[in-house]
Amino acid sequence: MDIIVLKPGTKRDQISRIEKKLKKFGLGTNVIIKGTERTIIGVKGDTSHILPEQEDSFRVMEGVEEVMRILKPFKLASREVKQSGTVITVKGRKIGGKKLCVMAGPCSIEGPQIFMDIAEQVKKAGANFLRGGAFKPRTSPYSFQGMGEEGLKILYEAGKKTGLPVVTEVMDPRDLEVITEYADILQIGTRNMQNFRLLLEVGLSRKPVLLKRGLSATIKEWLMAAEYIMSNGNSKVILCERGIRTFETATRNTLDLSAIPVLKKQTHLPVIVDPSHGVGHLEFVAPMARAAVAAGADGLMIEVHSKPEEAFSDGEQSQTPEQFRKMMKELKPVARAVGRDI
Amino acid sequence: MDIIVLKPGTKRDQISRIEKKLKKFGLGTNVIIKGTERTIIGVKGDTSHILPEQEDSFRVMEGVEEVMRILKPFKLASREVKQSGTVITVKGRKIGGKKLCVMAGPCSIEGPQIFMDIAEQVKKAGANFLRGGAFKPRTSPYSFQGMGEEGLKILYEAGKKTGLPVVTEVMDPRDLEVITEYADILQIGTRNMQNFRLLLEVGLSRKPVLLKRGLSATIKEWLMAAEYIMSNGNSKVILCERGIRTFETATRNTLDLSAIPVLKKQTHLPVIVDPSHGVGHLEFVAPMARAAVAAGADGLMIEVHSKPEEAFSDGEQSQTPEQFRKMMKELKPVARAVGRDI
Amino acid sequence: MDIIVLKPGTKRDQISRIEKKLKKFGLGTNVIIKGTERTIIGVKGDTSHILPEQEDSFRVMEGVEEVMRILKPFKLASREVKQSGTVITVKGRKIGGKKLCVMAGPCSIEGPQIFMDIAEQVKKAGANFLRGGAFKPRTSPYSFQGMGEEGLKILYEAGKKTGLPVVTEVMDPRDLEVITEYADILQIGTRNMQNFRLLLEVGLSRKPVLLKRGLSATIKEWLMAAEYIMSNGNSKVILCERGIRTFETATRNTLDLSAIPVLKKQTHLPVIVDPSHGVGHLEFVAPMARAAVAAGADGLMIEVHSKPEEAFSDGEQSQTPEQFRKMMKELKPVARAVGRDI
Amino acid sequence: MDIIVLKPGTKRDQISRIEKKLKKFGLGTNVIIKGTERTIIGVKGDTSHILPEQEDSFRVMEGVEEVMRILKPFKLASREVKQSGTVITVKGRKIGGKKLCVMAGPCSIEGPQIFMDIAEQVKKAGANFLRGGAFKPRTSPYSFQGMGEEGLKILYEAGKKTGLPVVTEVMDPRDLEVITEYADILQIGTRNMQNFRLLLEVGLSRKPVLLKRGLSATIKEWLMAAEYIMSNGNSKVILCERGIRTFETATRNTLDLSAIPVLKKQTHLPVIVDPSHGVGHLEFVAPMARAAVAAGADGLMIEVHSKPEEAFSDGEQSQTPEQFRKMMKELKPVARAVGRDI
């Protein structure tokens, strides 16, 4: 809140009231510019502590047409506050470094045998993190909702055997304790990006948080969600682009790869991409994974299932381990072309 | 899942595999239509129990191009299952009847005196429900997050004094017990429309649930969220349109009033409209409230604050009690014009 | 372009270069505000003649972070320039007055007999303008493209017989001459809202122009399109909201009724609504027509066809004359409720 | 139109009427499936000639709930009709081959000296086509609208001197003749993608057509626009993705790179990408160019201006020749990584 634009014909006493209110917030008037058509108040002082609702309270004052803010509303997540890119290390594996992180595995954990089988295959193909859902957000109440704690144990075992750190989704603050026991990275899903109580809770955790972008979240709102986590003490946030909702129906969502360079400019946090959810059709996953790496992503999250035809969820967009291996091979030269390893 | 469209050149044994799989689900092949360019399998049997992920598992089979479903994925919420409109009665006040319900009050509860003051004024002006937030979802972690239980008590007292049923938002399953003690209607906010664990919990409650539409939720997804609540035993769901996210920036969101007649066709649940959040600017609230009533809404939810300039949140879109009174007066003839009372 | 925000650490000579460039445009520096985190230049002088591309040329200068403009980019269309609402009179019928205008008729003109039949029925039911397409924009090259000049003659005859002014669409500057001979109002369709050469041509005409909103046009872009017409000398522009493209698929488009109060604030031009294209399904047209009137629209455009089953286009959203009559009857009390006649 | 779904309780005589109507179109009933909740008619015969409006005419019949079409509405543009990718040769340069095409140049042609200067520099850096606008679509009527024929001559001369084929935009059918004299490729801009009369005219031309995607066009609509051109005899259509309109404001548009693999599956036409308009900010152009190539694009269109600060349009997103050279160098290994040359 740095500039207050007044309506044409604003009176002197209205301006006085605005100035009085500014004073209440420890601010002053730097200058009043009387233009040919508008009068503008330049605000003096540090306005960074002014909250959005306080800004709004100026907006509704008589005589005020617009209130403009120049500074970004997020701080801890901002590149200005911390210039160097954040690298997060989990069990010796880095996210945000030269080597890309690749998190692979099935959408849902469906059983110990099949999960271990997939885990070993994706590891062999080059994945350095393991993903799998134990608590699943499902559009229909009649769908499979995940194996719960039993699934977490399977995930933990697979992580131990393969040596790969494991990622799984938290949907409810009440599950956080048990998930923290088993998982290395806590995932916040797209539907919970603005579940602020959950953000606060994972902010109090010491585990890294993978924060997926909300289906219709602007980049600014996404960074504000990261700020929620960071302002509670947890600075290990990984941003994951997974497609936004648009009018196009040829793909499940529209994968917004331009978010990568935008984020790289605005924040120091690492950015990865989930092309599986982004496009929703198996055959488009590999080209978009290549594009994500070329655009500068720090890693990928890929759905892999050994029998997509029998998957309990998201079979349509899952690669087989064989397809995953092929994609990883094709990604190598692309990564090298942009100065990265995979 | 009623029709399976095959790719050109699908082989006999691929069709056999599909038929075998159908049999596993207790389904058969009604007919195979060999067209000039495509072959189509018409599925025989009740497919209504086939889950989306099971449908997907057909989609990824070799030779399959598309799987089409004719029936809607929601049942309990559907107008086909229950033809007559649902009327929900709360402390003698009806939602879904001839008389429109009007829920008014401030965005946040800020203190006992100011809240009671607003409560009495909106009641006098014709509101028949009281709204006020005690737990607030805020985009910035640095913003006012609500008064919590203290706010609930203030809400409860105001409800008792005015005799109006009270509505407040639940953001976290852990708050449900305390909120249930004080509130008459549980509100699920736009950011939690797909917080499925929360939906499940309010589904176990006996209190009516006001379900706001998600910022980028299709009407179908919205009804699936209602289905979540209903499938857990609570059929008292009120749908609240509050604007969707589009490219237009002149208004805070785009209020989708056509959702009213669409919902009236697809579901028996009552539908109300929140123009305050829908447009985000005070001066557009009243015309959109009139439009909502004319389009057939069963009620309105309106933000009212006696001093919008000092509101802790959403001041920009709040009416003063005086403006609310004026709007209510203007709404009377509009309601009558479409056969309703207010 | 009234405020220039500089990047942190901008040097003195970069500021000098900006000031030199301002001088070239006849502008000065009103003030330089050095804040704790940003330096801001307040621009002195009348910036209203600065074009968007000139603004951009400041944006790319070294040291510049953002350039903000306070004034709206349209002038002739703006409510500030002309406070009273514009009323357009065509053959004695007013658009923008107390009485609502209702333009009704089929999507395409299909033949003299059927068109005259519809014309007479809609007139009897209360329509005061006649619509019908002779040149049709069709998504498929294989669809019926309109009757061309023959259709215009039919339209003209029907206008003469019923005494109603007639509206038809112009798609190509080369058709303008012949259409001007027959039509009373020139319609610019949604796909041509930014066909700037066509806007320029109808700007040179003396006939009123009905300017439909582009499928994904912001209100600002829409008013800039009106400005194109007006800046060429034709101030008789009627704005027509007809739905915008969003993610929702339950309706053909999302009818943005909040555009009505927004436009009423920003411009003096009359605003009408086309619910037929907005929703795309017959049964939702009437409730949205009522909502449009309640929101303050100056009129409606409605598709009517005596045999929707045999219509050459848009049959799915057309009312029969009987349904139109019923809707008009229901609209009467709604119009009266908001101080209008129909 | 291959499947007709009936409403519950549809009567025998309603079905008869549907069958009679099918017969009128030379179609029959393959089968009537009476399900537990719905009855479905499987249509017999070649329905590919049934137009959308004819399909609609079934949709509005009594008893009909839905009409489903299985085949795509475009034919000539479809990959099914022509399996091998189309390669278009212009003055010996190929579009759609192994070597990527790179079209570079300023948004507007501003003068002979500056244009020739840019032309020579982009050629040296590896561009193989030259772009430049002579007729400019501008949002504001007060902006620079292009140099017209004088600009075309400059473009032609630069093409002759450098030996590069030249691309320029056609906005108006009346300009087509003069543009055809000077240009090698005709560009249809985003705002004219559904200017069907213009599509028809360039369809009659023998010059290749670069068809930009409309700001809110689905991929299907885009291919229908290509079909317009092809159905008039011109099969040399190049598709150019340039960003779609979404709610995100951090970039000018949202570049939809997943359109590349989707198009590669659905059509045989070559696909290029314009990241300059797609993102609208200089610093995001190069990463998105890399991503486009990695996703499988056949080429790029890039805005280059030797003095972006003085450009008459789009200065904010233009690269300098030096930045273009750097980007081309970085693109080389990315192109090689996906089996292409640049």
Side-chain angles (χ1 to χ4, degrees), chain C residues 154-195:
Chain C
I154 294 171
L155 181 68
Y156 178 81
E157 282 305 317
K160 223 170 70 179
K161 268 205 192 156
T162 55
L164 300 183
V166 297
V167 193
T168 202
E169 180 166 351
V170 193
M171 285 173 65
D172 189 325
R174 296 171 301 178
D175 300 333
L176 191 55
E177 204 182 318
V178 63
I179 292 175
T180 302
E181 268 180 62
Y182 297 110
D184 300 303
I185 300 178
L186 307 171
Q187 177 178 321
I188 299 292
T190 198
R191 291 175 185 80
N192 283 312
M193 193 204 83
Q194 290 195 318
N195 183 336

Side-chain angles (χ1 to χ4, degrees), chain D residues 85-101:
Chain D
T86 288
V87 179
I88 296 168
T89 308
V90 191
K91 293 196 168 165
R93 318 258 168 174
K94 286 181 173 152
I95 302 165
K98 194 190 175 196
K99 191 177 166 67
L100 299 175
C101 71

Side-chain angles (χ1 to χ4, degrees), chain A residues 216-235:
Chain A
S216 63
T218 61
I219 290 175
K220 195 172 120 184
E221 288 168 338
W222 190 9
L223 288 172
M224 286 305 286
E227 188 85 7
Y228 250 95
I229 300 169
M230 298 173 86
S231 71
N232 278 294
N234 188 346
S235 59

